[in-house]
Amino acid sequence: VVVQETTTSTTSRSKTNSNKKTTTCVVKTKVKQYHWNIEIEYGIYLYCGSETLFSALSSLPIMTNTIACELITKTSEAPYVPSYETNPMDVSLTWLLQNI
């Protein structure tokens, strides 16, 4: 819970009295914030034959990376799908090397 505080001051003078009167108001607002840690993991693997599992003995990782960030929302609903895994994409090595 984050408390946002706003302070305002007003000054007034009456025509008959030269004394200043200052009124200060403090407004506190409670804002509930939800912090989400988002992490994406991806990689490029080489493999021989038709074995496309990343954990297979024939697969060789040539690049892996993980990116992460923190997202702050005001709702308790997750802003993303909790877990999502895609099927491996089969690409010719010749095509890959020509386009890197």
Side-chain angles (χ1 to χ4, degrees):
V1 174
V2 175
V3 177
Q4 295 177 340
E5 189 172 301
T6 306
T7 304
T8 57
S9 296
T10 56
T11 305
S12 61
R13 262 187 205 176
S14 72
K15 290 185 179 183
T16 59
N17 191 356
S18 64
N19 293 336
K20 288 182 181 181
K21 181 180 178 186
T22 303
T23 305
T24 303
C25 298
V26 177
V27 178
K28 292 184 180 183
T29 306
K30 285 187 179 182
V31 178
K32 196 171 229 184
Q33 293 181 338
Y34 297 88
H35 295 252
W36 305 91
N37 292 319
I38 299 173
E39 187 174 280
I40 299 172
E41 190 175 322
Y42 62 94
I44 298 175
Y45 293 81
L46 291 176
Y47 61 90
C48 294
S50 62
E51 186 64 49
T52 59
L53 295 175
F54 300 132
S55 60
L57 294 175
S58 64
S59 59
L60 174 69
I62 56 173
M63 188 200 89
T64 59
N65 198 7
T66 302
I67 56 175
C69 71
E70 182 180 26
L71 183 66
I72 301 171
T73 65
K74 291 184 180 181
T75 63
S76 62
E77 293 180 26
Y80 57 91
V81 178
S83 180
Y84 181 74
E85 192 170 313
T86 61
N87 293 328
M89 200 181 330
D90 194 9
V91 177
S92 166
L93 182 58
T94 305
W95 177 89
L96 180 63
L97 294 176
Q98 288 174 347
N99 288 289
I100 290 182

